[in-house]
Amino acid sequence: MSKKLSALLVAIAFLLSSATAISVALAIYALIDDKRLALLFASAAVLLDIFKYLAWPVAIRVLRGSTAALTIACALMLSIVSGWATYDRLMSSITISKATHDVMTTDRVQSLTSLAQKDSLLISQLDKEISHATVQANELRARGMVSKALELEESVAARAASQRTSAIARINDGSLEIAHIKSSVAKASSLPALLAHFLCLGFAMSLEVVPALILSGVRSSRRSFLPVVDSNSSASPLSGISEAETPKTAETLLDTNAEILKTLVNQAKTTTPGTPIKLKDFAKNSRIGNLRACAIFRNAEALGVIKKTTIGYVST
């Protein structure tokens, strides 16, 4: 696996794990009334959530025995807690969304409809008042009271027109709001309850499992480097050196490894067959890394000067 791909996968795992860390922090913070303690334990929850993801590759690849078992048990418990927090947040959001949508489509629509009916009745009453005022004004004109007739018409008309305009505006606004409520369907309101539970549970489990798998896979790919051994050449197998151990050029390393291999061959030939040759001691004396020493020992084994047994490498 290339370094760029590994870095990309690690970044994805970090972003995914941050979602669960924030969910756990919010859940812990909401459970505690004292804000200082809530902040303290929420911060601790974030650190534990980070440890949870790092625990899987460490327990699988590094630790052994009871230590690995306890580490995995802790990671499982933390996964249950953070999974519950993520599930609870998702279900709460969906529940609130459904409740809000139900209220808007029932109570609010009924309230707006009732207000529109009242405004319609008000407009009808205003029309009747205007008509009645017109009849009275005509009677006053018939008696010769023209000025009073004008005053009556103007006062009634001005008041009725103002109230009528306000009522019509409220009806129009209510109609637009009702149309908007009916046309906008909540994203989660159409989901069946059982499906919503399964989706939230699956999403929470994915957030727990995927980052751990990514980190374990990346670590495994970095440790699964296998150099190629060619029994026909003493120099070509030395090309299996990790990039972390190659500050020099390839040609210089090949020459150096050939010299070290020659030293190992001479050491094996000058010792009694069956004499143990410790890899770590040889690497320390040669001032090379263990991985590089492993490659050289495999080359020597291919040449037949040493062999690997249950107690390690011995001369032949």
Side-chain angles (χ1 to χ4, degrees):
M1 185 183 297
S2 65
K3 287 185 176 181
K4 290 184 178 180
L5 181 58
S6 298
L8 178 60
L9 290 175
V10 171
I12 293 174
F14 173 77
L15 293 175
L16 290 174
S17 61
S18 64
T20 60
I22 293 173
S23 297
V24 173
L26 292 175
I28 298 298
Y29 189 84
L31 291 175
I32 303 174
D33 293 331
D34 190 334
K35 298 306 178 185
R36 289 177 295 181
L37 288 177
L39 183 61
L40 173 64
F41 287 112
S43 302
V46 172
L47 295 178
L48 285 174
D49 200 73
I50 295 174
F51 163 78
K52 172 195 66 181
Y53 291 111
L54 298 178
W56 288 107
V58 171
I60 294 173
R61 295 291 174 181
V62 179
L63 302 178
R64 293 293 182 271
S66 60
T67 305
L70 289 175
T71 304
I72 292 176
C74 291
L76 285 174
M77 287 188 293
L78 293 172
S79 297
I80 293 173
V81 173
S82 61
W84 164 81
T86 303
Y87 170 82
D88 181 67
R89 289 287 164 180
L90 289 173
M91 280 305 302
S92 297
S93 299
I94 292 176
T95 303
I96 292 173
S97 177
K98 283 188 174 183
T100 302
H101 183 263
D102 291 340
V103 170
M104 293 296 291
T105 53
T106 56
D107 296 345
R108 182 59 180 169
V109 170
Q110 290 178 359
S111 177
L112 291 173
T113 303
S114 177
L115 289 175
Q117 291 175 353
K118 291 180 180 180
D119 286 330
S120 297
L121 292 175
L122 177 60
I123 291 173
S124 299
Q125 291 177 359
L126 292 174
D127 291 339
K128 290 180 179 180
E129 289 181 6
I130 293 173
S131 177
H132 184 65
T134 301
V135 172
Q136 289 181 341
N138 291 333
E139 292 178 356
L140 291 174
R141 287 190 183 92
R143 298 177 185 176
M145 300 177 182
V146 178
S147 59
K148 289 185 177 182
L150 290 174
E151 290 177 1
L152 178 61
E153 286 181 339
E154 289 176 357
S155 62
V156 173
R159 178 178 58 81
S162 176
Q163 294 180 359
R164 197 172 189 277
T165 301
S166 300
I168 292 174
R170 288 193 298 269
I171 291 174
N172 291 335
D173 293 341
S175 299
L176 292 175
E177 187 173 351
I178 291 173
H180 177 71
I181 291 173
K182 290 184 177 181
S183 62
S184 61
V185 179
K187 296 179 181 179
S189 62
S190 58
L191 286 177
L194 184 61
L195 179 58
H197 283 287
F198 276 116
L199 286 177
C200 293
L201 184 61
F203 188 76
M205 291 180 61
S206 298
L207 283 179
E208 296 301 320
V209 175
V210 172
L213 290 178
I214 290 176
L215 293 176
S216 300
V218 170
R219 185 177 180 86
S220 176
S221 67
R222 289 176 178 175
R223 294 173 60 91
S224 61
F225 175 77
L226 295 174
V228 179
V229 176
D230 184 2
S231 60
N232 296 326
S233 173
S234 62
S236 60
L238 303 180
S239 60
I241 307 298
S242 65
E243 296 182 2
E245 298 181 28
T246 57
K248 306 175 186 178
T249 62
E251 294 180 358
T252 304
L253 276 176
L254 288 174
D255 294 338
T256 305
N257 289 346
E259 292 295 330
I260 297 173
L261 177 60
K262 185 177 179 181
T263 302
L264 178 59
V265 171
N266 293 333
Q267 179 182 344
K269 288 182 178 180
T270 56
T271 58
T272 304
T275 302
I277 301 177
K278 296 183 178 180
L279 186 146
K280 290 186 177 180
D281 292 341
F282 182 81
K284 183 178 180 181
N285 294 332
S286 302
R287 296 181 180 180
I288 60 175
N290 289 336
L291 181 61
R292 190 173 168 190
C294 287
I296 294 174
F297 267 63
R298 280 192 287 271
N299 297 332
E301 184 181 9
L303 294 175
V305 295
I306 61 174
K307 64 180 180 179
K308 191 173 184 180
T309 64
T310 55
I311 61 173
Y313 286 99
V314 297
S315 60
T316 58

